[in-house]
Amino acid sequence: MSAPESLHLVVGEEELLVERAVRAALEAAREVDPNADLTRVQVTDLTPPELAELVSPSLFAEGRVIVLQSAQEISKEIADTVLSYVKAPADGVTLVVVHTGGGRSKAAKDLPGQLKKAGAAVTECAKITKPGEREAFVRNEVRRAGGKIDPEGVATLIDAVGTNLRELAAAASQLVSDTDGKVTVDEIRRYHQGKAEVTGFAVAEKAVTGDRAGAMEALRWAMQLGVPHVLVADALADAVRTVARVSAVGRADPFSLAGPLGMPPWKIKKAQAQARGWDQSGLADAMQVVAGLNADVKGVAADADYALERAVLRIVAAHGRR
Amino acid sequence: MSVWDEVVGQPDAVATLSAAAEAAATIVAGGTPAPGVMTHAWLFTGPPGSGRSSTARAFAGALQCVVTDDRPGCGVCTGCRTALHGTHADVRVVTPEGLSISVAEMRALVQISARRPTSGRWQVVIIEDADRLTEGAANALLKAVEEPPERTVFLLCAPSDHPDDVSVTIRSRCRLVSLGSPRPAAIASALESVDGVPPEMAQWAASVCGGHVGRARRLAVDEQARGRRESVLRIPLALRKPADVFTCADELIKAAEEDATTANEARNEAEREALETAMGAGGTGKGTAAATRGAKGALKDLEKRQKSRATRTQRDSLDMALVDLAGFYRDALVTKTGSEAALMHPDRAGDSRTAAAQWSQESILRRLEAVLACREAIEVNVKPRIAIEAMVTTLHRG
C-alpha cells in the first residue's frame, strides 16, 4: 500500500465537501496508523511555536492529522512557518490546510499556490451554484448510497429539499435506505412534501404563461417561505415588460435582437415563446397592473399579500383574453 | 434697484412684506410700530415656480437692510446683498437636497434660532420646501415657531397650506402669504431686466413655462433644456408602433438618469475626498491606522446622502418632463373643446390641433390622467421605469 499524502490542500467554500475531504484525509492516515489523532485548529489562534510543536514528530511516532482551518485568514509569520515545515515534513504527520480560496493579505492569497507547488494533494470544493451541477451531485449521492434515481426524481427532490448540499445528501441517503435502492418520484413524495425554495421569478414565469393554478400555488409558497413582496412584484413587472418589449418588435432572431433590446438572447427566446399567448391590449393592461402593484407593495395597499394575489389573477386574466 | 426686483409679478405680497419690513426696521430702531404688521413666523405658499423661496430671501434681505431710510430693502447695501446670496451671518437657509428634512436637522436649527442676531437686527431662518419636513421634524420645530426669541423670524415655504403639505399645527402658528402664478408679461419683463435675455426669447420662454419663473429662466438661457422640452413634447405624436412605447420611455428615463449623474458626479467626488481627508486618509506615521478606522461609517453615511440627492434630482427631472406632457394633453383637450383658454405650449398649437383631430375627448382625458397618475406613482416610490412604461403604454393606446 502506498503511503498516504502527508500534505493536503482543501480549497473552496462548500462546507459539506470540505468536511468530506478532511474526513477522507483522516481515513487515509488511519489506514496506516489506526490510532492517528485528529487536531483541528483555527490559524488565527495559532502562534508559530505552537504550530511547530503540533507538526513535530512525537516520541512514539504516533500518526497525527493536523487540520488548519480558515487558512484564508493566515498571518504572514504562520504562513512562513507552514511553508518551511512543508519543505521538511515529519514522518507520520498529515497536514490538511483548509482554505476558502479568497483571503485578504498577500500571504493568505498566495498560500494555496505555494502549497500546490510544494506538492500538496488538492481537493477543490467550490460552491455548487449551477442547477446542472446540483443535479449531478444528487445523482452521485444516491449512487454512493447504493441506489438509483431517475431525472424526474432528482428534480422533485431538489424542489422539496432545497439547495443546501448537506440536507440533500442526508435526504438522498435516507431515501435509499428507506426504499431498497430505487428512488422514484412517488417515494420522494411520500417523505418530502412542499417546496423549499420559490423565487419571484418562478411565480412570474407561471403568471405570464397564463398558468393560473401554477402561479397561485407558487405565489402562496413564496409568501409562506417569506420571499419579500417587493421581490415578487419586481419579478412580475420584469416578466411582463420583457414580454411586452419583445413582442413589440415582432418576430426576429434572438441573437440579432439582443443588442438593441439590451437583453441576453436566452431571455429574448423565452419571452418570444411566452409572447404567443398575448395580444397588445392584454399586455397594456398587464403593464398597468404591475405598475399599480409596485406602488401597492411599497405601502399603498393595506395588505400586500392580497395585492400580489389580485395582481397575479389579473395578469392571468389579461393573458387569457385572447 | 430693490430686493423686491427678485419677486416676479406678486404686487400684493410685496406690499404686505415691505410694510412688515418697515415695521421691523422701526422695532430695530427702538420704536413701536402699529401692532400686527410684523410677525415672527411667515408661511409662503404658491404653485411651483411662483417664487416662494426667492420671496422669502427678498424679505430676509429687507429685514437685514442696513440703510436706514423709511423703505428698507435697497438691494445694494451689505445686508441686502449678503442676505440675497445666502451668506448673511444671521440668515439661515435650509434647502433640502434629499427627499426629506430630518428631525436632527431641525433640532440643530431650533438651537440656532435661539441665538441673538450678530448684526443686531434679525435672526432669520428660511425653510425652503417645508412640505418635505417629516412629521417628527415638524414637531421638533413647533415650539420654536410658536414663540421664538424676540428678534427671530421664521420663513417657511410650501406649495400650499393644505395639511398634506404643512401640518396644521405649524400652519396655525404662521402668517400666510399666498403667491399666485405670475403673468407671462411679468415673467418676460423680469427675464429681460434681471437676466438680460433678448426680448423675443424672453417672450417665448414666458409663454411656455406655465407660470414657473425658474423654468422660464432655464429655458431662456439653457440650450439643452430647450432640446429636452422638444424631445418630450414630440412623444405624444411619435407613438405609432408598439415598439415606440419602449423607445420613448427609455429616452425619458435615460435623460433623467443623465441629469442625476451630471448634476451630482463632480460634487460627490469632491465631497468624498474632503471627508476622507478630514478622517485622516492618506496620512502616514504612527496612529494613522487607528484614526481612519471610523471613516468607513462616515463614508457610508455620506454615500447614503448622495444617493438620496441623486434620487431627488432624477425624480425632479422626470416630474418636469411629465408636467410638460400633461400640458400638451391639456392643450389638446382645450383645442378639442374649442375653448379660448390660453395654451400651455403655444408654440406647439399645430401638434395639439393634430392630436385633437385624431383622438376623442375621452381618450385625451385618459392620456392626461395616465400622466398625472404616473407623477403620483413616482412620488410613492414606484420604480421610475415601471411607472413611465405603464404611462407610455396608455399614451399609445389612448
Side-chain angles (χ1 to χ4, degrees), chain B residues 328 361 374:
Chain B
F328 178 87
Q361 280 187 23
C374 179

Side-chain angles (χ1 to χ4, degrees), chain A residues 284-294 296 310-312 314-315 318:
Chain A
D285 285 344
M287 297 272 289
Q288 307 301 325
V289 171
V290 292
L293 174 67
N294 204 289
D296 283 347
R310 193 174 63 149
V312 165
R314 282 187 176 176
I315 292 172

Side-chain angles (χ1 to χ4, degrees), chain B residues 45-65:
Chain B
T45 62
S50 54
R52 300 179 298 246
S53 57
S54 53
T55 309
R57 278 170 200 258
F59 186 39
L63 290 177
Q64 306 291 8
C65 183

